[in-house]
Amino acid sequence: MKIIMLGAPGAGKGTQAKMIAEKYQIPHVSTGDIFRANIKNGTELGMEAKKYMDQGLLVPDELTVKILLDRVAQEDCKNGYVLDGFPRTIPQAEVLDKALTELGEKIDYAINVDVPDENIVKRMSGRRACLSCGATYHIEHIPPRQEGVCDGCGQSLVLRDDDKPETVQNRLKVYHDQTQPLIDFYTAKGVLRTVDGTVDMKDVFEAIVSILS
Ligand code: ADP
Ligand code: AMP
């Protein structure tokens, strides 16, 4: 099963993608996580991506498409995957579509996690991320067992630089301008399904599972 998560930054795509990946035993592929791992390791790709990410801008399509296609060509993706944060532009979606068509494959579902802009800034300022294992928490809604410490790997949790309110406003604008048109793109392909992302994460997941089952 090949699934795409759509939605504004902070809508809960990553949270749900991890749960889907676990239940259906498919890899969770997050371009944001790949970029952050590269920044942490000081790679050339990481240095380049950081210039855009810090301003709330999208990393150029040429760079992003290449890392995504390399990742989904790996052995563990052969039975499917859940994409989180890709595609984010129409050209990215078209490249993915073409690559899949050449393999005789297609996206099965594009799940749109719908959360209004008013809720997003609050969500993002409360998000705490583990840059070591990629786990995500929220200080009010989904707190870690011990404040500031990752339940999974014990490393410190951080407020991502791009989750600061001024950057979040930019990211929301970029989302509406460049990513939201994907809703029409996947509706036209007949694979778009929208879930209410404002309810408890378990209820969002239940709605997604009933779509996928
Ligand atoms: P995205 O991957 O779409 O950017 P995340 O999955 O990281 O978003 O979620 C953004 C923030 O909102 C995180 O702090 C997360 O813990 C929290 N969150 C996710 N789903 C819910 C939910 N249903 N209700 C409340 N908070 C949520
Ligand atoms: P995310 O972790 O999905 O919120 O992504 C964090 C940041 O990484 C985004 O704000 C972009 O700067 C960059 N990024 C992640 N995925 C993409 C993508 N598909 N295209 C362009 N930039 C991306």
Side-chain angles (χ1 to χ4, degrees):
M1 188 151 51
K2 297 187 182 64
I3 304 165
I4 286 174
M5 304 303 293
L6 291 178
K13 300 181 297 295
T15 303
Q16 297 300 325
K18 288 187 186 92
M19 295 162 85
I20 294 169
E22 197 183 333
K23 182 172 170 71
Y24 296 96
Q25 292 292 298
I26 50 177
H28 165 213
V29 176
S30 155
T31 38
D33 282 353
I34 296 173
F35 288 138
R36 281 184 289 278
N38 275 274
I39 293 173
K40 190 163 172 252
N41 295 329
T43 68
E44 210 173 301
L45 169 69
M47 296 300 134
E48 184 63 18
K50 188 172 169 20
K51 289 196 263 177
Y52 300 92
M53 291 169 75
D54 282 352
Q55 299 175 67
L57 299 174
L58 295 184
V59 177
D61 286 346
E62 308 80 73
L63 269 185
T64 310
V65 159
K66 188 180 176 323
I67 59 157
L68 189 277
L69 292 182
D70 286 352
R71 177 64 189 92
V72 298
Q74 286 172 19
E75 181 63 18
D76 63 333
C77 288
K78 75 174 191 312
N79 292 325
Y81 40 77
V82 50
L83 299 186
D84 159 22
F86 186 99
R88 260 182 160 101
T89 65
I90 294 280
Q92 290 181 13
E94 286 172 343
V95 172
L96 177 64
D97 199 45
K98 184 164 173 279
L100 289 175
T101 304
E102 279 167 12
L103 296 168
E105 297 173 0
K106 62 174 184 54
I107 293 298
D108 299 297
Y109 295 102
I111 308 281
N112 177 32
V113 184
D114 189 30
V115 175
D117 286 8
E118 305 85 83
N119 301 25
I120 293 289
V121 179
K122 242 179 123 185
R123 282 255 183 118
M124 308 284 258
S125 58
R127 170 157 66 182
R128 293 295 177 272
C130 175
L131 296 181
S132 189
C133 73
T136 307
Y137 303 85
H138 189 282
I139 49 176
E140 281 170 40
H141 309 298
I142 307 164
R145 284 194 293 272
Q146 190 188 336
E147 197 185 317
V149 179
C150 180
D151 290 351
C153 71
Q155 297 295 310
S156 299
L157 300 176
V158 297
L159 172 65
R160 278 167 41 182
D161 285 340
D162 60 345
D163 280 352
K164 299 192 172 138
E166 55 283 13
T167 314
V168 170
Q169 295 296 352
N170 279 344
R171 295 174 69 195
L172 272 174
K173 185 174 180 328
V174 166
Y175 168 74
H176 290 300
D177 291 348
Q178 300 193 55
T179 308
Q180 212 170 15
L182 292 174
I183 292 180
D184 287 343
F185 182 94
Y186 287 108
T187 300
K189 292 198 173 293
V191 296
L192 189 93
R193 303 287 185 276
T194 295
V195 294
D196 178 2
T198 62
V199 297
D200 187 89
M201 63 185 257
K202 290 190 189 65
D203 297 326
V204 181
F205 187 56
E206 222 170 83
I208 293 176
V209 169
S210 68
I211 290 166
L212 302 181
S213 304

